[in-house]
């Protein structure tokens, strides 16, 4: 049983991680690290968590024998600090995406974990979700021929005051939801992009977007003259889908990214049209169970620190392309692994949760 501490008890931890961990069978939530002690203590009582500490008690917790791993869900600019401190103390680390806000920070996180012989995993829950893997398998099996083009749409109306709207948290639709589109394209094409162009928008009459763009449209060029395009927004109607066009067919996933609805796949080939609705499993439970098994088995996780770094490189190039209006070259090493069926974990949905 792997014992976790949650570092940052905000919305995603309360909505997804804390309810899911008890479903896994190989993981246990042993501690909460939070700046809001009263709220954390309510959560601790609800979930039966033994230890609650403030951020200034984090290092003492790391030196104890109460935890084996940490899940880091603090604001983006703080990921590196807490991940490096945890890894340096010999604790395994699961960190929310984007892994960091700079290449230097991501590389420091990777080095800290490697130096101490612990695992660093970037939180890519879809790598363990059956619908996502079924789509990748259909593409790898040649069901739609050679994949040539990807389009994706991911948007919703963000509420005013949400931390995603704060520039100081490296917020924005690109960093928060565009990363899903980037990650999907990289694994669908099984390659890294080589160029990006982008254009962002920011309405002058919407106070939600005083600090960040409300939307961004991106085109990525991949080796072999393949293209991926996506649009993501915090100020548009709710939509969540992607489509892969091949030389002999196409695949549509809708929804394709969210964790609160079951995945649906539409496969069009010369043989006909096949519609599949996948069972709705707990995405966070799946990734926790997978990471804990990696720790127990001594096996490196596939969505490791380098996987997080690969997306971060694309994010930073895209940000610069939108800011300058100029195409940006991207250079990133090929990934040795991609999500496969053996990584899927079908964990029942958690029904008991407390949101503060």
């Amino acid at each position: 049983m792997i014992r976790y501490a949650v570092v940052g008890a905000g919305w995603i931890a309360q909505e997804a991680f804390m309810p899911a961990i008890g479903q896994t069978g190989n993981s246990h939530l042993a501690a909460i690290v939070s700046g809001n002690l009263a709220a954390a203590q309510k959560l601790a009582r609800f979930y039966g968590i033994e230890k609650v500490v403030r951020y200034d008690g984090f290092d003492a917790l790391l030196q104890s024998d109460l935890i084996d791993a940490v899940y880091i869900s603090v604001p983006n600019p703080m990921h590196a600090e807490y991940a490096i401190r945890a890894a340096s103390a010999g604790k395994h680390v699961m960190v929310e995406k984007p892994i960091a806000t700079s290449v230097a920070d991501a590389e420091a996180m990777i080095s800290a974990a490697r130096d101490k012989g612990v695992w660093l995993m970037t939180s890519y829950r879809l790598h363990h979700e059956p619908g996502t893997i079924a789509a990748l398998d259909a593409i790898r099996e040649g069901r739609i021929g050679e994949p040539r083009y990807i389009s994706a749409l991911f948007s919703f109306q963000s509420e005013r005051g949400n931390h995603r709207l704060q520039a100081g948290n490296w917020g924005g639709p690109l960093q928060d939801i565009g990363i899903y589109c980037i990650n999907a394209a990289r694994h669908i094409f099984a390659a890294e992009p080589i160029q990006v162009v982008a254009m962002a928008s920011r309405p002058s009459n919407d106070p939600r977007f005083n600090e960040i763009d409300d939307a961004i449209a991106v085109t990525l060029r991949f080796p072999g003259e393949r293209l991926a395009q996506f649009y993501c927004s915090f100020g548009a109607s709710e939509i969540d889908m992607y489509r892969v066009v091949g030389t002999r067919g196409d695949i549509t996933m809708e929804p394709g990214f969210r964790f609160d609805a079951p995945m649906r796949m539409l496969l069009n080939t010369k043989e006909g049209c096949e519609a599949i609705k996948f069972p709705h499993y707990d995405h966070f439970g799946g990734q926790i169970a997978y990471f804990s098994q990696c720790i127990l088995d001594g096996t490196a996780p596939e969505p490791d620190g380098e996987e997080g770094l690969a997306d971060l490189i694309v994010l930073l190039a895209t940000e610069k392309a939108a800011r300058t209006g100029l195409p940006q070259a991207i250079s990133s090493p090929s990934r040795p692994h991609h999500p496969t069926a053996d990584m899927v974990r079908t964990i029942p949905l958690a029904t008991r949760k407390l949101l503060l």
Side-chain angles (χ1 to χ4, degrees), residues 16-287:
F17 190 92
M18 292 184 186
I21 193 167
Q23 306 287 106
T24 62
N26 63 0
S27 311
H28 170 66
L29 187 52
I32 300 175
V33 182
S34 174
N36 187 337
L37 201 59
Q41 287 170 339
K42 289 181 182 179
L43 291 165
R45 287 193 294 270
F46 184 78
Y47 288 110
I49 299 167
E50 302 93 280
K51 187 77 170 177
V52 175
V53 301
R54 298 183 189 274
Y55 289 114
D56 58 11
F58 182 53
D59 290 318
L61 177 65
L62 293 175
Q63 296 304 318
S64 74
D65 189 36
L66 295 175
I67 62 169
D68 308 297
V70 299
Y71 166 67
I72 296 175
S73 59
V74 292
N76 295 333
M78 300 166 66
H79 286 182
E81 175 192 348
Y82 282 90
I84 291 169
R85 286 162 69 181
S88 298
K91 307 301 182 183
H92 302 282
V93 178
M94 181 193 298
V95 61
E96 268 300 335
K97 56 198 174 298
I99 185 174
T101 58
S102 73
V103 169
D105 278 353
E107 290 177 339
M109 294 162 70
I110 293 166
S111 294
R114 184 184 299 119
D115 291 346
K116 284 294 184 176
V118 297
W119 299 132
L120 169 64
M121 184 170 108
T122 314
S123 178
Y124 288 104
R125 53 181 170 76
L126 291 172
H127 290 208
H128 318 289
E129 190 279 320
T132 301
I133 301 303
L136 289 173
D137 282 346
I139 294 164
R140 288 187 282 235
E141 291 164 5
R143 299 285 300 278
I144 63 169
E146 181 188 354
R148 300 297 306 168
Y149 174 75
I150 302 165
S151 66
L153 296 168
F154 198 2
S155 65
F156 56 87
Q157 292 285 352
S158 186
E159 294 183 3
R160 189 173 180 178
N162 191 292
H163 71 279
R164 296 183 176 99
L165 304 176
Q166 297 173 2
N169 287 334
W170 204 39
L174 172 65
Q175 296 83 354
D176 191 75
I177 54 179
I179 192 171
Y180 288 91
C181 307
I182 291 167
N183 194 260
R186 291 178 44 247
H187 292 294
I188 288 166
F189 285 146
E192 300 303 316
I194 56 177
Q195 188 182 48
V196 60
V197 294
M199 185 175 293
S201 65
R202 184 183 301 190
S204 60
N205 60 349
D206 192 331
R208 292 179 298 172
F209 304 112
N210 289 335
E211 298 185 24
I212 65 160
D213 298 321
D214 79 305
I216 190 166
V218 178
T219 299
L220 294 166
R221 183 185 300 277
F222 284 79
E225 292 302 307
R226 297 171 295 176
L227 299 174
Q229 294 183 307
F230 67 87
Y231 171 85
C232 56
S233 174
F234 284 164
S237 178
E238 188 171 293
I239 188 168
D240 164 20
M241 60 85 65
Y242 62 91
R243 190 171 192 177
V244 186
V245 180
T247 53
R248 296 198 303 274
D250 63 86
I251 286 176
T252 300
M253 293 292 292
E254 188 174 5
F257 303 118
R258 292 164 50 190
F259 64 82
D260 57 353
M263 301 294 185
R264 297 192 303 268
M265 180 169 73
L266 188 66
L267 175 61
N268 286 307
T269 67
K270 291 182 178 179
E271 289 73 37
C273 181
E274 183 180 359
I276 303 171
K277 183 176 180 179
F278 296 93
H280 192 191
Y281 294 108
D282 195 306
H283 292 196
F284 277 76
Q287 72 171 354

Side-chain angles (χ1 to χ4, degrees), residues 276-309:
I276 303 171
K277 183 176 180 179
F278 296 93
H280 192 191
Y281 294 108
D282 195 306
H283 292 196
F284 277 76
Q287 72 171 354
I288 298 166
Y290 169 81
F291 188 46
S292 291
Q293 197 60 53
C294 287
I295 295 171
L296 291 166
D297 294 344
T299 303
E302 176 271 328
D304 54 14
E306 285 84 354
E307 174 69 3
L309 175 59

